[in-house]
Amino acid sequence: DAGITQSPRHKVTETGTPVTLRCHQTENHRYMYWYRQDPGHGLRLIHYSYGVKDTDKGEVSDGYSVSRSKTEDFLLTLESATSSQTSVYFCAISEGGGQPQHFGDGTRLSIL
Amino acid sequence: KNEVEQSPQNLTAQEGEFITINCSYSVGISALHWLQQHPGGGIVSLFMLSSGKKKHGRLIATINIQEKHSSLHITASHPRDSAVYICAVRNRETSGSRLTFGEGTQLTVNP
């Protein structure tokens, strides 16, 4: 299995609080992605990174920011969490843009 | 209309049956992926294909680029195959490695 660790695995917090999710990889893969998964929707891309300090928006990026200061870590931040951001968040990595993506185990986030 | 449509949404089968899950897409693609999401939530990549057919154990994936259609077949199904199967496409026109995902097909195989 690809070495991907998401933390925390579960989090419950209140509306308006900041939240940071961490994705850590040991594979030295160039690409890293953050998705959210909600009932009635497929996985949807929030942001992705194609290298250290190189990031781009996905289809549902509003309300989220990311940072990648080193190859192994990709952070997803909700500056002021809202109930609509309650979801399961998955991190994924890939060696290159056209390569298969390997997924972390997910983070279940509940915003009350 | 979603770029990626899967059918059926839900499928129940008896152990040993041959299973087919379908994926249709509406854009030009450079690759199509099939993934499996276990009941515990973990997601595993099964296949990536851009033409023809690929086989791994009891799983077979086919793609018809002209018809914009792919199928995932499971032969001699087993209860451990119960999972959500997800189709995703890489749009030929978009930058980077973005994938667009279908909503998934929930497969239940009964003993």
Side-chain angles (χ1 to χ4, degrees):
Chain A
D1 288 344
I4 310 168
T5 305
Q6 290 186 231
S7 60
R9 293 293 315 280
H10 303 271
K11 186 172 182 67
V12 180
T13 191
E14 294 183 347
T15 301
T17 59
V19 177
T20 295
L21 308 183
R22 180 184 185 231
C23 179
H24 177 78
Q25 60 143 331
T26 58
E27 305 297 319
N28 200 36
H29 284 356
R30 181 180 171 197
Y31 283 77
M32 299 185 75
Y33 313 80
W34 277 109
Y35 295 97
R36 60 178 290 174
Q37 187 177 43
D38 304 288
H41 296 274
L43 286 156
R44 292 181 291 173
L45 182 65
I46 304 171
H47 283 279
Y48 71 101
S49 170
Y50 47 96
V52 174
K53 292 186 172 32
D54 292 323
T55 64
D56 203 355
K57 295 179 180 179
E59 62 182 303
V60 290
S61 59
D62 287 348
Y64 301 95
S65 62
V66 290
S67 66
R68 191 166 178 204
S69 59
K70 43 187 178 177
T71 299
E72 57 265 36
D73 288 327
F74 193 33
L75 303 180
L76 177 71
T77 297
L78 293 65
E79 299 290 348
S80 178
T82 68
S83 58
S84 64
Q85 294 175 310
T86 292
S87 186
V88 180
Y89 291 84
F90 285 94
C91 173
I93 65 174
S94 66
E95 281 189 82
Q99 298 303 308
Q101 295 182 16
H102 305 283
F103 287 78
D105 290 333
T107 294
R108 188 170 296 273
L109 177 64
S110 296
I111 315 293
L112 304 178
Chain B
K1 190 179 186 296
N2 292 337
E3 284 186 4
V4 181
E5 298 276 357
Q6 290 186 234
S7 63
Q9 280 189 301
N10 294 282
L11 179 58
T12 300
Q14 289 300 122
E15 184 173 356
E17 286 184 1
F18 180 85
I19 288 163
T20 296
I21 298 170
N22 297 297
C23 176
S24 296
Y25 52 92
S26 58
V27 295
I29 68 169
S30 54
L32 182 142
H33 299 250
W34 281 103
L35 306 102
Q36 179 192 55
Q37 185 167 23
H38 301 132
I43 299 172
V44 175
S45 179
L46 297 175
F47 296 104
M48 183 180 77
L49 64 166
S50 55
S51 65
K53 179 170 80 172
K54 287 192 175 181
K55 184 175 188 291
H56 181 69
R58 295 180 294 105
L59 300 178
I60 304 166
T62 64
I63 189 168
N64 185 317
I65 295 294
Q66 287 73 31
E67 294 186 4
K68 292 186 167 62
H69 182 268
S70 175
S71 293
L72 177 68
H73 305 286
I74 304 175
T75 63
S77 60
H78 190 275
R80 65 175 175 265
D81 296 325
S82 298
V84 176
Y85 291 85
I86 301 168
C87 172
V89 301
R90 183 165 167 241
N91 190 320
R92 194 170 53 215
E93 304 303 323
T94 58
S95 62
S97 62
R98 301 182 191 202
L99 295 177
T100 301
F101 294 80
E103 292 184 32
T105 295
Q106 173 70 61
L107 172 66
T108 302
V109 181
N110 293 319

